[in-house]
Amino acid sequence: MKAAVLYAPKDLRVETARDPAPGAGEALVRVRAAGLCGTDFRLWSGDRPARYPLIMGHEFVGEVAAVGSGVENVKPGDSVAVEPNYSCGTCPLCREGNRNLCLSRTAVGIDVDGGLAELAHIPARCCWAAPAGLSPEQLLLTEPLAVVVRAVNRGAVRAGETAAVLGTGTLGLLAVQVLKSRGARVLAVSRSDRRFSLVRELGAEAVHSLAAGSGAEAARRLSGREGVDVVVETAGTPEAVAEALGLGRPGGRVVLTGLPHEPSQVHFFGVVRRELTIVGSMIYQDEFPEAMRLLKTGAVKAEPLVTHRFRLDAVGEAFSAHQSPASIKVAVIP
Ligand SMILES: [Zn+2]
Ligand SMILES: [Zn+2]
């Protein structure tokens, strides 16, 4: 099979490797589409250390080609979305159901070989059988969508509430759609106005560019009161985290799901004075089925988000495209 192997920072080579065979409890997946995200970019650039050589790719979907012994949840021929994280299963966090918080989590495509390849072998429990009728490119959005579904659930969003979404990348554009599907009215806040027509098409009622300063006034305008009920932060920049805390009404909730790798300057006076609830939301636990349901019903549209497609041989170009402001989700089709 062909695979994109990272040997060192920025040394990514497409090579022919031996076809993997599924071990006990594993599924062998024929990859139909793989997506790039900021995490892949950080691995590729060396910002995030990895063990080399590594077959990259954690967002991928495909068909089960074979299964090892003891596998019951999927069978050859099934179309699957891959949950690219698996937990130890034995620690207190895992046993109480918080497997996304497990400190011994294994990330496919980061800690072990992933899906920027024609074939990938992974624990079968990472495979979620997909409903019929979803294309590989639609299914590809399941993983980031599961992140967003969890964030919206952590924010306990109710119909009729107002919400602000920080960031108009993949997660932000998905968050707007999930919030809309829950009956919330949504303000999209972004550093630039580049995606404002798209985000409006996807359901945002109002937009605000941070180039014009804080979105607090826009949040008051949309909500008709002191701020929005719930804020979902997807950008993960220090500025976005600080901004998120300024958009919620007194008594409001702020869900942080973008991963802020750098510290933020936060004035906590406002958090106390307005009794904000700040909630972290880490990837997903069991949100894959709901994510696939939202794609299947059309409540969430994936097509406008997949802006670029490359063959595996052109994975270098795929990484260049990922850096371009014109790209949202870059797909690699092995
Ligand atoms: Zn990702
Ligand atoms: Zn664990």
Side-chain angles (χ1 to χ4, degrees):
M1 67 155 183
K2 269 192 214 167
V5 187
L6 187 69
Y7 280 90
K10 297 180 185 168
D11 182 6
L12 183 64
R13 304 177 207 165
V14 178
E15 297 184 335
T16 302
R18 211 148 52 94
D19 283 4
E26 285 190 334
L28 182 67
V29 174
R30 183 163 299 284
V31 179
R32 294 300 182 206
L36 298 186
C37 81
T39 302
D40 298 295
F41 190 76
R42 285 166 46 78
L43 277 173
W44 174 80
S45 68
D47 224 16
R48 177 169 175 161
R51 56 136 201 101
Y52 307 108
L54 171 72
I55 299 179
M56 293 188 63
H58 64 279
E59 296 179 13
F60 63 101
V61 301
E63 279 149 32
V64 176
V67 295
S69 60
V71 172
E72 281 171 4
N73 63 320
V74 287
K75 56 183 189 311
D78 283 354
S79 169
V80 290
V82 172
E83 178 180 330
N85 291 283
Y86 51 96
S87 55
C88 78
T90 56
C91 73
L93 288 161
C94 283
R95 279 187 278 124
E96 66 202 17
N98 289 316
R99 60 195 166 86
N100 58 324
L101 307 182
C102 173
L103 300 175
S104 310
R105 222 161 25 89
T106 303
V108 176
I110 298 170
D111 303 316
V112 296
D113 287 342
L116 272 176
E118 289 173 321
L119 292 164
H121 68 113
I122 47 171
R125 63 190 160 109
C126 295
C127 292
W128 293 91
L134 285 177
S135 72
E137 285 191 13
Q138 286 175 302
L139 205 51
L140 187 56
L141 271 298
T142 305
E143 197 266 356
L145 182 53
V147 171
V148 166
V149 166
R150 181 166 183 82
V152 170
N153 288 346
R154 298 269 297 154
V157 178
R158 293 179 296 271
E161 286 195 312
T162 52
V165 172
L166 267 289
T168 50
T170 302
L171 293 180
L173 294 169
L174 292 170
V176 166
Q177 299 185 72
V178 174
L179 287 161
K180 178 93 196 296
S181 78
R182 296 287 173 86
R185 296 169 51 224
V186 187
L187 164 71
V189 178
S190 175
R191 270 194 299 211
S192 94
D193 57 8
R194 202 183 319 116
R195 302 216 176 110
F196 281 176
S197 61
L198 175 60
V199 76
R200 277 187 185 280
E201 253 169 62
L202 295 176
E205 185 176 319
V207 291
H208 176 79
S209 166
L210 293 172
S214 165
E217 175 53 34
R220 286 192 286 270
R221 219 177 308 127
L222 178 81
S223 62
R225 53 178 300 181
E226 312 85 349
V228 294
D229 299 301
V230 62
V231 181
V232 178
E233 200 302 290
T234 69
T237 62
E239 300 77 21
V241 170
E243 170 71 13
L245 297 179
L247 302 179
R249 64 167 168 82
R253 295 96 69 197
V254 177
V255 185
L256 305 177
T257 195
L259 278 167
H261 291 281
E262 288 129 46
S264 294
Q265 281 279 357
V266 171
H267 197 44
F268 277 103
F269 181 88
V271 175
V272 177
R273 173 65 184 81
R274 291 182 290 138
E275 215 169 61
L276 289 178
T277 301
I278 304 174
V279 183
S281 187
M282 178 61 183
I283 57 169
Y284 29 70
Q285 280 180 3
D286 290 304
E287 286 81 6
F288 267 58
E290 185 175 352
M292 290 191 288
R293 207 162 37 240
L294 288 166
L295 290 165
K296 175 71 185 170
T297 61
V300 171
K301 290 181 181 56
E303 297 89 337
L305 275 62
V306 181
T307 52
H308 293 71
R309 293 154 191 87
F310 294 92
R311 301 308 305 232
L312 189 55
D313 289 312
V315 71
E317 288 168 56
F319 272 93
S320 307
H322 174 79
Q323 289 175 82
S324 149
S327 72
I328 303 175
K329 183 57 70 184
V330 174
V332 174
I333 314 292

